[in-house]
Amino acid sequence: MHGWFQTKEMGHFPVLGAVDEAGNLLGFSSYGTFRSWPAYKYSVEHSVYVHKDHRGKGVGRALMGSLIDCARAQEYHLLIGGIDISNAVSIALHRALGFSHAGTIQQAGFKFGRWLDLAFYQLLLDTPPHPKDE
């Protein structure tokens, strides 16, 4: 985990947490480099995790809203989420927040004893106002 946090810090990527009144972590979100080549510097891939006991309570929506605000503030142009195609709740949340389906890669991952199809959802942001090549 230490390396994960170091990577986020070095890249100036947010790590957002949702906690209850007692300080218990309900979920977290972050984003990071989508692809390491300069042409993709305005694109980030995000992740959102909500503890199973706190799903369906608006935690994911709140974390995503804050993450989108961070991406705009840091002048990213594209927010990308890779979602297991069977995760209908996450897909519905992303669609409700304005994300659109950008494609699916079949059998991209193996977890829980089965192959997972990975659906990509994207949200185009109105930033940066003046993108630059590098």
Side-chain angles (χ1 to χ4, degrees):
M1 266 329 271
H2 181 70
W4 184 83
F5 280 107
Q6 273 189 320
T7 299
K8 298 298 178 182
E9 185 176 10
M10 288 173 41
H12 304 285
F13 299 129
V15 177
L16 307 175
V19 296
D20 64 14
E21 304 78 31
N24 298 309
L25 184 64
L26 308 177
F28 69 93
S29 63
S30 187
Y31 54 70
T33 304
F34 171 63
R35 298 189 81 170
S36 61
W37 296 286
Y40 300 100
K41 68 183 172 190
Y42 294 114
S43 300
V44 288
E45 185 173 4
H46 72 276
S47 297
V48 178
Y49 301 94
V50 178
H51 187 277
K52 62 183 171 84
D53 294 341
H54 302 287
R55 293 179 184 152
K57 300 176 182 177
V59 174
R61 179 178 292 273
L63 287 167
M64 281 298 303
S66 295
L67 209 58
I68 292 167
D69 290 344
C70 286
R72 280 194 174 107
Q74 289 185 303
E75 297 191 346
Y76 287 108
H77 183 64
L78 180 63
L79 200 53
I80 303 161
I83 307 169
D84 174 6
I85 196 97
S86 68
N87 190 341
V89 172
S90 184
I91 289 171
L93 172 61
H94 281 76
R95 285 186 174 158
L97 292 171
F99 284 75
S100 61
H101 183 249
T104 299
I105 300 173
Q106 296 180 348
Q107 299 184 12
F110 188 82
K111 191 173 177 183
F112 308 123
R114 64 183 177 89
W115 289 105
L116 304 177
D117 295 344
L118 184 64
F120 284 100
Y121 281 79
Q122 66 178 34
L123 179 65
L124 288 172
L125 304 174
D126 55 357
T127 52
H130 305 288
K132 297 177 183 148
D133 289 334
E134 281 190 34

